[in-house]
Amino acid sequence: MERQIEFAGILSNDKFQNPDFYNWNKVKIRYCDGASFSGNVKNELQNGTKFFFRGQRIWEAVMSELLLKGLRHAKQAFLTGCSAGGLATFIHCDNFRTLLPKDSRVKCLADGGFFLDVEDISGQRTMRAFYNDVVRLQDLRGRFPHCGPNMDLGQCFFPSEVVKDIITPVFVLNPAYDAWQVQHVLSPVASDPQHSWLECRLDISKCDSNQLEILQGFRKKLHDTISELKHKKDWGFFIDSCFIHCQSLNSLTWHSPSSLRVNNKTIAEAVGDWFFDRREVKEIDCEYPCNPTCHNLVFAKPFKA
């Protein structure tokens, strides 16, 4: 892990890059436990090797320290995270709320963490199989009250299931063509032995008409899943049509003159409006390639799985 990282985007202390949160106290929690701070396995041995899958204890230790440092007096608090940290935000949002004064404003933002339970291009549910392994390895079955006896273990870990029990207001920030998910959920290498998706998974502009049709189906699945949350009045959405992953920690995508916009609002403006109750924010972008303000990523090689 790097000893120093840049605080940019929502973590920036520059008023022009981060107009609503630039002068907040900010903490970034290192992530290394493999289950979004939710595991708490008593056994230290896994197949004869000593491992500690106890991310829940990391979460609790960090929160305990921050509360002593002044978090317990916060009038406003915002739990955010991207990718696996976005999933951690869904998982821990309500617990975070309980740690703070009842009269404080507490909300959560999950960026690029709405992983979908979909079939990949070969008809396999690769992400569900991966989550099955995570839930089994880290003994998470009892962690999620929404998890029914007839569900696969891995289903419990998807945001579409986790969100069903969340009471605290959450803002869902996600690209409809999330680059990590396109590469590892929709078209993983193992499901593409002919390498027909090689160019498309690296550069969305290289996708052919059949691949684009599959990508539009992936977008529809996200929209259908998000639409089930519309009854949660105090939740917010910003679903753009870009090929990217994690947009809150980069000043270019968060808030800049050349930032992505949906309905003429940057992500920072939309999130700030929602957090401070200036307006209802449920922004759903049109289909790719409709938005010229997108910063679509072009990869030399895919994201690490």
Side-chain angles (χ1 to χ4, degrees), residues 116-169:
L116 293 177
D117 183 15
V118 295
E119 291 184 354
D120 66 25
I121 55 174
S122 70
Q124 305 297 311
R125 288 190 180 265
T126 300
M127 194 64 175
R128 188 189 292 187
F130 170 64
Y131 275 178
N132 278 337
D133 290 342
V134 171
V135 171
R136 191 177 297 109
L137 179 67
Q138 303 222 18
D139 194 21
L140 301 177
R141 185 63 187 248
R143 176 71 176 74
F144 302 109
H146 58 263
C147 204
N150 298 322
M151 294 171 66
D152 281 355
L153 287 174
Q155 284 179 274
C156 313
F157 208 51
F158 280 98
S160 57
E161 295 299 325
V162 177
V163 297
K164 291 177 180 177
D165 294 317
I166 300 176
I167 300 167
T168 309

Side-chain angles (χ1 to χ4, degrees), residues 152-196:
D152 281 355
L153 287 174
Q155 284 179 274
C156 313
F157 208 51
F158 280 98
S160 57
E161 295 299 325
V162 177
V163 297
K164 291 177 180 177
D165 294 317
I166 300 176
I167 300 167
T168 309
V170 178
F171 192 97
V172 180
L173 167 60
N174 233 87
Y177 313 93
D178 185 293
W180 192 95
Q181 292 199 63
V182 169
Q183 293 171 1
H184 297 294
V185 178
L186 188 63
S187 66
V189 172
S191 296
D192 184 30
Q194 305 299 320
H195 306 298
S196 59

